[in-house]
Amino acid sequence: MSNDVAPKRLKLRSKPSRTADKVFFAVAKAAGYSSFVLVAAILFFLMLRAWPAFESQGVVNFIFGAGWNSTTDPQIFHLGPMLYGSLLIAAIGVAFAVPMAISISYFISFLAPERVAKIATVIVDLLAAIPSIVIGLWGLGVFSPVAAEWGRMLSEALGFIPIFSNAVDIFLRSPFIASLVIAVMIVPIIASITREIFSQMDQEIIKGAMALGGTRESIFRKVILPTASGGIVGGVLLALGRAMGETVAIFFVLNLTFDDFNWFKILEPSGGAVASLVLARFNEALDTELSALLAAGVVLFVVTLIVNTIASYIVAKAQPWRKL
Amino acid sequence: MSNLNHLETKDINVWFGERHVLRDVSLQFQNNHVTALIGPSGCGKSTFIRTLNRMHELIPTAGLSGQVLLNGEDIYAQAVDPVNVRINIGMVFQKPNPFPTMTIRENILSGLKLSGRKIEDGDGLVETSLQRASMWNEVKDRLSEPALSLSGGQQQRLCIARSLAMDPNVLLMDEPCSALDPGSTRRIEETILELKENMTIVIVTHNMQQAQRVSDSTAFFLSENGNPGEVVEFDTTENVFKRPKDDRTNEYVNGRFG
Ligand SMILES: Nc1ncnc2c1ncn2[C@@H]1O[C@H](COP(=O)(O)OP(=O)(O)OP(=O)(O)O)[C@@H](O)[C@H]1O
Ligand SMILES: [Mg+2]
């Protein structure tokens, strides 16, 4: 057997052959590639302007170092605390938002009477479309004082745990509040996408689970959630992108501390967020600082890309059946 | 255990909203017996079989009267938990519906997990269940592959195996072969004949040959002129097909309508 000549394989054609198909294919291809080109072009021109900052500060220092000051000589533009703050706030925001959003969409999809479900769906979709400046103003005017009170209570009750300790006794403008505002902003986005995914669940599979003696709770945990998880993570990523790049909504409710990392004391009034930094400094920035702000943009962009890639990888890993 | 798989319905009536779709269905399903439910489309066979494991009540507009007795006890009694009913009375659907996120092995054990029961000897249970569904040899080397990597016929037998892992007293099958090729159909029929050694089986089928091949008794359902569906004739399969008492049964089993 081993010295048999392998049969000649046919050349299989996966490309379209009919003209209409060809045109469609070409247009789709052009559109697809142009999005790559666009992203590359944006990154390229940003890089062009950002390069001087990377060069003068050193890439590693720029990304991981602390301190931001245009009045010293030499100027210091180190993004570390801002970048870390962005990630921290986004992470806490997502941690708050995901269970909330899943509960809402579960209620709408599986528990609520049809009428209620319809109304709730409209409301959630509307909430998802609220401009962030409105949420920011609400955060500033209405929510901050309330959330500060929650922060105080948390700290009084659980202050012995380092995360909840607060040495300065001011509870306004903390990462905690910023992440709650972010959560409020992204809950409707995640809920809207999750509800859509739940509504497309194969009913036959749910019936199969019922017939095997499943309860509402066990079917949700063992059948619905695993099936929907890929889509939910997609929704979370979309929301995360918005959370990390969010400027206005957090700007009003967070103190920026450039010189120090606030690693975990989420109730203290000191934190960071790249986008807020840009908003805070952009108006007064002169040439070199402008370059540094653009460099911050580049870093944020790349970090968002990395986070998304990791998440997609995790989703793909966790769902081998999707390849079928 | 073996004489205790007796299922019986008394005067089952079903409504969807105001619409009366089944009238006074009283049937007996005996242990070691396969009972076929036949009848034209829309006469209420699926509706009826769903009342036997309380899947019926999941439809929001569903209404019901009558009794379903498993070993003499009404499964609709107030104190009975529908989840326990479904554990004792398994169901296989028309379209294979394995859980897409689970492997073959996980699908077999899914019932125990879903109903919150302990898994004592997982490997053993997986093997015996697959063996009872006569597919152990086909899949024993690929237990950790996704269930969707199986063919349609294999998926259906996996669904049967999944029900068997719960060790039910009764197995309900609603047109289990209608989506399958003749080969897979044959194998499932063989499986049914083996399974009836230990349980009671109710099968809905549109295939007259299949009813004659696998069943011991046959109930003929009919809904005339928009009236609620009723059982026209219930007898041994041989009598229903060879010596029907009712003309309408005669016409139906000889393919003259339906
Ligand atoms: N969920 C439902 N809501 C309202 N009416 C229903 C529902 N399910 C079934 N019906 C009605 O009940 C009657 C019986 O339907 P059923 O599905 O039980 O028929 P069947 O005998 O299984 O038909 P088939 O052989 O085509 O599967 C039909 O008139 C159908 O329209
Ligand atoms: Mg049917």
Side-chain angles (χ1 to χ4, degrees), chain A residues 200-284:
Chain A
Q200 283 169 14
M201 273 295 299
D202 186 348
Q203 289 302 314
E204 291 301 313
I205 285 170
I206 296 179
K207 278 190 218 153
M210 292 300 279
L212 285 167
T215 60
R216 277 214 157 114
E217 179 267 347
S218 71
I219 292 175
F220 180 64
R221 266 191 315 118
K222 304 212 156 79
V223 177
I224 298 176
L225 258 194
T227 314
S229 65
I232 295 175
V233 172
V236 171
L237 280 183
L238 199 68
L240 198 69
R242 194 162 169 203
M244 299 236 296
E246 185 46 46
T247 39
V248 215
I250 323 190
F251 183 67
F252 294 127
V253 295
L254 183 68
N255 275 341
L256 300 183
T257 306
F258 299 128
D259 303 331
D260 274 319
F261 284 90
N262 177 2
W263 290 113
F264 54 79
K265 298 200 169 172
I266 57 174
L267 297 180
E268 292 191 352
S270 134
V274 177
S276 294
L277 163 81
V278 175
L279 190 64
R281 302 297 308 160
F282 199 76
N283 271 337
E284 320 163 18

Coordinates of all heavy atoms in Angstrom, one line a residue, chain A residues 200-284:
Chain A
Q200 N -33.0 34.0 20.0 CA -32.7 33.1 18.9 C -32.3 31.7 19.4 O -31.9 30.8 18.5 CB -31.6 33.7 18.1 CG -32.1 34.8 17.2 CD -31.1 35.6 16.5 OE1 -29.9 35.2 16.5 NE2 -31.4 36.7 16.0
M201 N -32.4 31.4 20.7 CA -32.1 30.1 21.2 C -33.0 29.0 20.5 O -34.2 29.3 20.3 CB -32.4 30.0 22.7 CG -31.3 30.4 23.6 SD -29.8 29.3 23.5 CE -30.5 27.8 24.0
D202 N -32.5 27.9 20.2 CA -33.3 26.8 19.6 C -34.3 26.3 20.6 O -33.9 25.7 21.6 CB -32.4 25.7 19.1 CG -33.1 24.7 18.3 OD1 -34.4 24.7 18.3 OD2 -32.5 23.8 17.6
Q203 N -35.6 26.5 20.4 CA -36.6 26.0 21.4 C -36.6 24.5 21.6 O -36.9 24.0 22.6 CB -38.0 26.5 21.0 CG -38.2 28.0 21.1 CD -37.9 28.5 22.5 OE1 -38.4 27.9 23.5 NE2 -37.2 29.5 22.7
E204 N -36.2 23.8 20.5 CA -36.2 22.3 20.6 C -35.2 21.9 21.6 O -35.4 20.9 22.3 CB -35.8 21.7 19.2 CG -36.8 21.9 18.2 CD -38.2 21.3 18.5 OE1 -38.1 20.1 19.0 OE2 -39.2 21.9 18.4
I205 N -34.1 22.6 21.7 CA -33.1 22.2 22.7 C -33.5 22.5 24.1 O -33.3 21.7 25.0 CB -31.7 22.9 22.3 CG1 -31.1 22.3 21.1 CG2 -30.8 22.9 23.5 CD1 -30.0 23.0 20.5
I206 N -34.2 23.6 24.3 CA -34.7 23.9 25.6 C -35.8 22.8 26.0 O -35.8 22.4 27.1 CB -35.3 25.3 25.6 CG1 -34.2 26.3 25.4 CG2 -36.0 25.6 27.0 CD1 -34.6 27.7 25.4
K207 N -36.6 22.5 25.0 CA -37.6 21.4 25.3 C -37.0 20.1 25.7 O -37.4 19.4 26.6 CB -38.5 21.2 24.1 CG -39.6 22.2 23.9 CD -40.6 21.7 22.8 CE -41.1 22.9 22.0 NZ -41.4 22.5 20.6
G208 N -35.9 19.8 24.9 CA -35.1 18.6 25.3 C -34.7 18.6 26.7 O -34.7 17.6 27.4
A209 N -34.2 19.8 27.1 CA -33.7 19.9 28.5 C -34.9 19.8 29.5 O -34.7 19.1 30.6 CB -33.0 21.2 28.7
M210 N -36.0 20.3 29.2 CA -37.2 20.2 30.0 C -37.5 18.7 30.2 O -37.8 18.2 31.3 CB -38.4 20.9 29.4 CG -38.4 22.4 29.3 SD -38.2 23.2 30.9 CE -39.7 23.3 31.6
A211 N -37.5 18.0 29.1 CA -38.0 16.6 29.1 C -37.0 15.7 29.8 O -37.3 14.6 30.2 CB -38.1 16.1 27.6
L212 N -35.8 16.2 30.1 CA -34.8 15.5 30.9 C -34.9 15.8 32.3 O -34.0 15.5 33.1 CB -33.4 15.7 30.4 CG -33.1 15.0 29.0 CD1 -31.8 15.6 28.5 CD2 -33.0 13.5 29.2
G213 N -35.9 16.5 32.7 CA -36.1 16.9 34.1 C -35.3 18.1 34.5 O -35.0 18.3 35.7
G214 N -35.0 19.0 33.6 CA -34.4 20.2 33.9 C -35.3 21.2 34.6 O -36.5 21.2 34.4
T215 N -34.7 22.0 35.5 CA -35.5 23.1 36.1 C -35.1 24.4 35.4 O -34.1 24.4 34.7 CB -35.1 23.2 37.6 OG1 -33.7 23.5 37.7 CG2 -35.4 21.9 38.4
R216 N -35.9 25.4 35.6 CA -35.6 26.7 35.0 C -34.1 27.1 35.2 O -33.4 27.4 34.3 CB -36.4 27.8 35.6 CG -37.8 27.9 35.0 CD -38.2 29.3 35.0 NE -39.2 29.5 34.0 CZ -40.5 29.8 34.2 NH1 -40.9 30.0 35.4 NH2 -41.3 29.9 33.2
E217 N -33.7 26.9 36.5 CA -32.4 27.4 36.9 C -31.3 26.5 36.2 O -30.4 27.0 35.6 CB -32.3 27.3 38.4 CG -31.0 27.7 39.0 CD -30.1 26.5 39.2 OE1 -30.5 25.4 39.2 OE2 -28.9 26.8 39.5
S218 N -31.5 25.2 36.3 CA -30.5 24.3 35.7 C -30.4 24.4 34.2 O -29.3 24.3 33.6 CB -30.7 22.8 36.2 OG -31.8 22.3 35.5
I219 N -31.6 24.6 33.6 CA -31.5 24.7 32.1 C -30.8 26.0 31.7 O -30.0 26.0 30.8 CB -33.0 24.7 31.6 CG1 -33.6 23.3 31.7 CG2 -33.0 25.1 30.1 CD1 -35.0 23.3 31.3
F220 N -31.1 27.0 32.5 CA -30.4 28.3 32.2 C -28.9 28.2 32.3 O -28.1 28.6 31.5 CB -30.9 29.4 33.1 CG -30.2 30.7 32.9 CD1 -30.4 31.4 31.7 CD2 -29.4 31.3 33.8 CE1 -29.8 32.6 31.4 CE2 -28.8 32.5 33.6 CZ -29.0 33.2 32.4
R221 N -28.4 27.5 33.5 CA -27.0 27.5 33.7 C -26.3 26.5 32.8 O -25.2 26.7 32.3 CB -26.7 27.1 35.2 CG -26.5 28.3 36.1 CD -26.0 27.9 37.4 NE -26.7 26.8 38.0 CZ -26.2 25.6 38.3 NH1 -24.9 25.4 38.1 NH2 -26.9 24.6 38.8
K222 N -27.0 25.3 32.5 CA -26.2 24.3 31.8 C -26.5 24.2 30.3 O -25.7 23.7 29.6 CB -26.6 22.9 32.4 CG -26.3 22.9 33.9 CD -26.0 21.5 34.4 CE -25.2 21.6 35.6 NZ -25.9 21.8 36.8
V223 N -27.6 24.8 29.9 CA -27.9 24.8 28.4 C -27.9 26.2 27.8 O -27.2 26.4 26.8 CB -29.2 24.1 28.2 CG1 -29.6 24.1 26.7 CG2 -29.2 22.6 28.7
I224 N -28.7 27.1 28.4 CA -28.8 28.4 27.7 C -27.5 29.2 27.7 O -27.0 29.7 26.7 CB -30.0 29.1 28.3 CG1 -31.3 28.4 28.1 CG2 -30.1 30.5 27.7 CD1 -32.5 29.0 28.7
L225 N -27.0 29.3 29.0 CA -25.8 30.2 29.1 C -24.6 29.7 28.3 O -24.0 30.4 27.5 CB -25.4 30.3 30.6 CG -25.8 31.6 31.3 CD1 -25.0 31.7 32.6 CD2 -25.5 32.8 30.4
P226 N -24.3 28.4 28.3 CA -23.2 27.9 27.5 C -23.4 28.1 26.0 O -22.5 28.5 25.3 CB -23.1 26.4 27.8 CG -23.8 26.2 29.1 CD -24.8 27.3 29.2
T227 N -24.6 27.9 25.6 CA -24.9 28.1 24.1 C -24.8 29.6 23.8 O -24.3 29.9 22.7 CB -26.3 27.6 23.8 OG1 -26.5 26.4 24.4 CG2 -26.5 27.5 22.3
A228 N -25.2 30.5 24.7 CA -25.2 31.9 24.4 C -23.9 32.6 24.7 O -23.7 33.7 24.3 CB -26.4 32.6 25.1
S229 N -23.0 31.9 25.4 CA -21.9 32.6 26.0 C -21.0 33.3 24.9 O -20.6 34.4 25.2 CB -21.0 31.6 26.8 OG -20.4 30.7 25.9
G230 N -20.8 32.7 23.8 CA -20.0 33.4 22.7 C -20.6 34.7 22.4 O -19.9 35.7 22.3
G231 N -21.9 34.7 22.1 CA -22.5 36.0 21.7 C -22.5 37.0 22.9 O -22.3 38.2 22.6
I232 N -22.7 36.5 24.1 CA -22.7 37.4 25.2 C -21.3 38.1 25.4 O -21.2 39.3 25.5 CB -23.0 36.7 26.6 CG1 -24.5 36.2 26.5 CG2 -22.9 37.6 27.7 CD1 -24.9 35.4 27.7
V233 N -20.2 37.2 25.2 CA -18.9 37.8 25.3 C -18.7 38.9 24.2 O -18.1 39.9 24.4 CB -17.8 36.7 25.2 CG1 -16.4 37.3 25.1 CG2 -17.9 35.8 26.4
G234 N -19.3 38.6 23.0 CA -19.2 39.6 22.0 C -19.8 40.9 22.4 O -19.2 41.9 22.2
G235 N -21.0 40.8 23.0 CA -21.6 42.0 23.5 C -20.8 42.7 24.6 O -20.7 43.9 24.6
V236 N -20.2 41.9 25.5 CA -19.4 42.5 26.5 C -18.2 43.2 25.9 O -17.8 44.3 26.3 CB -18.9 41.4 27.5 CG1 -17.9 42.0 28.4 CG2 -20.1 40.8 28.3
L237 N -17.6 42.6 24.8 CA -16.5 43.2 24.2 C -16.8 44.6 23.6 O -16.1 45.6 23.7 CB -15.9 42.3 23.1 CG -15.1 41.2 23.5 CD1 -14.5 40.4 22.4 CD2 -13.9 41.8 24.4
L238 N -18.0 44.6 22.9 CA -18.5 45.8 22.3 C -18.6 46.9 23.4 O -18.2 48.0 23.3 CB -19.8 45.6 21.7 CG -20.3 46.6 20.7 CD1 -19.4 46.5 19.4 CD2 -21.7 46.2 20.3
A239 N -19.2 46.5 24.5 CA -19.4 47.4 25.6 C -18.1 47.8 26.3 O -17.9 48.9 26.6 CB -20.3 46.7 26.7
L240 N -17.2 46.8 26.3 CA -15.8 47.1 26.9 C -15.1 48.1 26.1 O -14.5 49.1 26.6 CB -15.0 45.8 27.0 CG -13.8 45.8 27.9 CD1 -14.3 45.8 29.3 CD2 -13.0 44.5 27.7
G241 N -15.2 48.0 24.8 CA -14.6 49.0 23.9 C -15.1 50.3 24.2 O -14.4 51.3 24.3
R242 N -16.4 50.4 24.4 CA -17.0 51.7 24.7 C -16.5 52.2 26.0 O -16.2 53.4 26.2 CB -18.5 51.6 24.6 CG -19.2 52.9 24.6 CD -20.6 53.0 24.2 NE -21.1 54.3 24.4 CZ -22.4 54.6 24.6 NH1 -23.3 53.6 24.4 NH2 -22.8 55.8 24.9
A243 N -16.5 51.3 27.0 CA -16.1 51.7 28.3 C -14.6 52.2 28.4 O -14.4 53.2 29.0 CB -16.2 50.5 29.3
M244 N -13.8 51.5 27.7 CA -12.3 51.9 27.7 C -12.1 53.2 27.0 O -11.3 54.0 27.4 CB -11.5 50.8 27.1 CG -11.6 49.5 27.8 SD -10.0 48.9 28.4 CE -9.2 48.6 26.9
G245 N -12.8 53.4 25.9 CA -12.6 54.7 25.2 C -13.5 55.8 25.7 O -13.4 56.9 25.2
E246 N -14.3 55.5 26.7 CA -15.3 56.5 27.1 C -14.6 57.7 27.7 O -13.7 57.6 28.5 CB -16.2 55.9 28.1 CG -17.3 56.8 28.5 CD -18.0 57.5 27.4 OE1 -18.3 56.8 26.4 OE2 -18.2 58.7 27.4
T247 N -15.0 58.9 27.3 CA -14.4 60.1 27.8 C -15.3 60.8 28.7 O -15.1 60.9 29.9 CB -14.0 61.0 26.6 OG1 -15.1 61.0 25.7 CG2 -12.7 60.7 26.0
V248 N -16.4 61.3 28.2 CA -17.2 62.3 28.9 C -17.8 61.7 30.2 O -17.8 62.4 31.2 CB -18.3 62.9 28.0 CG1 -18.5 64.3 28.4 CG2 -17.9 62.7 26.6
A249 N -18.3 60.5 30.0 CA -19.1 60.0 31.2 C -18.2 59.8 32.4 O -18.7 60.1 33.5 CB -19.7 58.6 30.8
I250 N -17.0 59.5 32.3 CA -16.1 59.3 33.4 C -15.5 60.6 33.8 O -15.1 60.8 35.0 CB -15.0 58.3 33.2 CG1 -15.4 57.2 32.3 CG2 -14.5 57.8 34.5 CD1 -14.3 56.1 32.3
F251 N -15.2 61.5 32.9 CA -14.5 62.7 33.1 C -15.0 63.4 34.3 O -14.3 64.0 35.1 CB -14.6 63.6 31.9 CG -13.8 64.8 31.9 CD1 -12.4 64.8 32.0 CD2 -14.4 66.1 32.0 CE1 -11.6 65.9 32.1 CE2 -13.6 67.2 32.1 CZ -12.3 67.1 32.1
F252 N -16.3 63.5 34.4 CA -17.0 64.2 35.5 C -16.9 63.5 36.9 O -17.1 64.2 37.9 CB -18.4 64.5 35.2 CG -18.6 65.3 34.0 CD1 -19.5 64.9 33.0 CD2 -18.1 66.6 33.9 CE1 -19.7 65.7 31.9 CE2 -18.3 67.4 32.8 CZ -19.1 66.9 31.8
V253 N -16.6 62.3 36.9 CA -16.7 61.6 38.2 C -15.4 60.9 38.7 O -15.4 60.0 39.5 CB -17.8 60.5 38.1 CG1 -19.2 61.1 37.9 CG2 -17.5 59.5 37.0
L254 N -14.3 61.4 38.1 CA -13.1 60.7 38.5 C -11.9 61.7 38.6 O -11.8 62.6 37.8 CB -12.7 59.7 37.4 CG -11.4 58.9 37.7 CD1 -11.7 57.9 38.9 CD2 -11.0 58.1 36.5
N255 N -11.2 61.7 39.7 CA -10.0 62.5 39.9 C -8.8 61.8 39.2 O -8.6 60.6 39.4 CB -9.6 62.6 41.3 CG -10.4 63.8 42.0 OD1 -10.9 64.7 41.3 ND2 -10.4 63.8 43.3
L256 N -8.1 62.5 38.4 CA -6.9 61.9 37.7 C -5.7 62.1 38.6 O -5.4 63.3 38.9 CB -6.7 62.5 36.3 CG -7.9 62.4 35.3 CD1 -7.5 63.0 34.0 CD2 -8.3 60.9 35.2
T257 N -5.0 61.1 38.9 CA -3.8 61.2 39.6 C -2.6 60.7 38.7 O -2.6 59.5 38.3 CB -3.8 60.3 40.9 OG1 -4.9 60.7 41.6 CG2 -2.6 60.5 41.7
F258 N -1.8 61.6 38.3 CA -0.8 61.2 37.3 C 0.4 60.5 37.8 O 1.1 59.7 37.2 CB -0.3 62.4 36.5 CG -1.4 63.1 35.8 CD1 -1.7 64.5 35.9 CD2 -2.2 62.4 34.9 CE1 -2.7 65.1 35.2 CE2 -3.3 63.0 34.2 CZ -3.5 64.4 34.4
D259 N 0.8 60.8 39.1 CA 2.1 60.4 39.6 C 2.1 59.1 40.2 O 3.2 58.4 40.4 CB 2.6 61.5 40.7 CG 2.6 62.8 40.1 OD1 2.8 62.9 38.9 OD2 2.4 63.8 40.8
D260 N 1.0 58.6 40.7 CA 0.9 57.3 41.4 C -0.1 56.4 40.8 O -1.1 56.8 40.3 CB 0.5 57.6 42.9 CG 1.7 58.0 43.7 OD1 2.7 57.3 43.5 OD2 1.5 58.9 44.5
F261 N 0.2 55.1 40.9 CA -0.8 54.1 40.6 C -1.7 54.0 41.7 O -1.3 53.8 42.9 CB -0.1 52.8 40.3 CG 0.6 52.7 39.0 CD1 1.9 53.1 38.9 CD2 -0.1 52.3 37.8 CE1 2.6 53.1 37.6 CE2 0.6 52.2 36.6 CZ 1.9 52.6 36.5
N262 N -3.0 54.0 41.5 CA -3.9 53.6 42.5 C -4.3 52.1 42.2 O -5.2 51.9 41.4 CB -5.2 54.5 42.5 CG -6.2 54.0 43.5 OD1 -6.0 53.0 44.2 ND2 -7.3 54.6 43.6
W263 N -3.5 51.2 42.8 CA -3.6 49.8 42.3 C -5.0 49.2 42.6 O -5.6 48.5 41.8 CB -2.5 49.0 43.0 CG -1.2 49.3 42.4 CD1 -0.1 49.8 43.1 CD2 -0.7 49.0 41.1 NE1 1.0 50.0 42.2 CE2 0.6 49.5 41.0 CE3 -1.3 48.5 39.9 CZ2 1.4 49.4 39.8 CZ3 -0.5 48.5 38.8 CH2 0.8 48.9 38.7
F264 N -5.5 49.5 43.9 CA -6.7 48.7 44.2 C -7.7 49.5 45.1 O -8.7 49.0 45.4 CB -6.4 47.4 44.8 CG -5.5 47.4 46.0 CD1 -6.0 47.8 47.2 CD2 -4.1 47.2 45.8 CE1 -5.1 47.9 48.3 CE2 -3.2 47.3 46.9 CZ -3.7 47.6 48.2
K265 N -7.3 50.6 45.6 CA -8.1 51.3 46.6 C -9.2 52.1 45.8 O -9.2 53.3 45.7 CB -7.3 52.3 47.5 CG -6.3 51.5 48.2 CD -5.8 52.3 49.4 CE -5.0 51.4 50.3 NZ -4.3 52.2 51.4
I266 N -10.2 51.3 45.5 CA -11.2 51.8 44.5 C -12.1 52.9 45.1 O -12.8 53.5 44.4 CB -12.0 50.7 43.9 CG1 -12.7 49.9 45.0 CG2 -11.2 49.7 43.1 CD1 -13.7 48.8 44.5
L267 N -12.1 53.0 46.4 CA -13.0 54.0 47.0 C -12.4 55.4 47.2 O -13.0 56.4 47.5 CB -13.6 53.5 48.4 CG -14.4 52.2 48.3 CD1 -14.9 51.9 49.7 CD2 -15.6 52.4 47.4
E268 N -11.0 55.4 47.0 CA -10.3 56.7 47.2 C -10.4 57.6 46.0 O -10.5 57.1 44.8 CB -8.9 56.4 47.6 CG -8.7 55.8 48.9 CD -7.3 55.7 49.4 OE1 -6.4 56.1 48.6 OE2 -7.1 55.4 50.6
P269 N -10.4 58.9 46.2 CA -10.6 59.8 45.1 C -9.4 60.0 44.2 O -8.9 61.1 44.1 CB -11.1 61.1 45.8 CG -10.4 61.0 47.1 CD -10.3 59.6 47.5
S270 N -8.9 58.9 43.6 CA -7.7 59.0 42.8 C -7.7 57.9 41.8 O -7.9 56.7 42.2 CB -6.5 59.0 43.7 OG -5.5 58.1 43.2
G271 N -7.6 58.2 40.6 CA -7.6 57.2 39.6 C -7.1 57.7 38.3 O -6.4 58.7 38.2
G272 N -7.4 57.0 37.2 CA -6.9 57.4 35.9 C -7.8 56.8 34.8 O -8.6 55.8 35.0
A273 N -7.7 57.4 33.7 CA -8.4 56.9 32.5 C -7.8 57.7 31.3 O -7.7 58.9 31.3 CB -9.9 57.2 32.6
V274 N -7.3 56.9 30.4 CA -6.6 57.5 29.2 C -7.5 58.5 28.5 O -7.0 59.6 28.2 CB -6.2 56.4 28.2 CG1 -5.5 57.0 27.0 CG2 -5.3 55.4 28.9
A275 N -8.7 58.1 28.3 CA -9.6 59.1 27.5 C -9.8 60.4 28.3 O -9.9 61.4 27.7 CB -10.9 58.4 27.1
S276 N -10.0 60.2 29.6 CA -10.2 61.4 30.4 C -8.9 62.3 30.4 O -9.0 63.6 30.3 CB -10.5 61.1 31.8 OG -11.7 60.4 31.9
L277 N -7.8 61.7 30.4 CA -6.5 62.4 30.3 C -6.5 63.3 29.0 O -6.2 64.5 29.1 CB -5.4 61.5 30.3 CG -4.0 62.0 29.8 CD1 -3.3 62.8 30.9 CD2 -3.1 61.0 29.3
V278 N -6.9 62.6 27.9 CA -6.9 63.4 26.7 C -7.8 64.6 26.7 O -7.5 65.7 26.3 CB -7.2 62.4 25.5 CG1 -7.3 63.2 24.2 CG2 -6.2 61.3 25.4
L279 N -9.0 64.3 27.3 CA -10.0 65.4 27.3 C -9.5 66.5 28.3 O -9.6 67.7 28.0 CB -11.3 64.8 27.9 CG -12.5 65.7 27.8 CD1 -12.8 66.1 26.4 CD2 -13.7 65.1 28.5
A280 N -8.8 66.1 29.4 CA -8.4 67.1 30.3 C -7.3 68.0 29.8 O -7.2 69.2 30.1 CB -8.0 66.4 31.6
R281 N -6.4 67.4 29.0 CA -5.2 68.1 28.6 C -5.2 68.7 27.2 O -4.4 69.5 26.9 CB -4.0 67.1 28.7 CG -3.7 66.5 30.1 CD -3.4 67.6 31.2 NE -2.3 68.4 30.7 CZ -2.1 69.6 31.3 NH1 -2.8 70.1 32.3 NH2 -1.1 70.4 30.8
F282 N -6.1 68.2 26.4 CA -6.1 68.5 25.0 C -6.1 70.0 24.7 O -5.3 70.5 23.9 CB -7.3 67.9 24.3 CG -7.1 67.7 22.8 CD1 -6.2 66.7 22.3 CD2 -7.7 68.6 21.9 CE1 -6.0 66.6 20.9 CE2 -7.5 68.5 20.6 CZ -6.6 67.5 20.1
N283 N -6.9 70.8 25.4 CA -7.1 72.2 25.1 C -5.8 73.0 25.3 O -5.5 73.9 24.5 CB -8.2 72.8 26.0 CG -9.5 72.7 25.3 OD1 -9.6 72.5 24.1 ND2 -10.6 72.7 26.1
E284 N -5.1 72.7 26.4 CA -3.9 73.5 26.7 C -2.6 72.9 26.1 O -1.6 73.6 26.2 CB -3.7 73.6 28.2 CG -5.0 73.8 29.0 CD -4.8 73.4 30.5 OE1 -3.6 73.4 30.9 OE2 -5.8 73.2 31.1

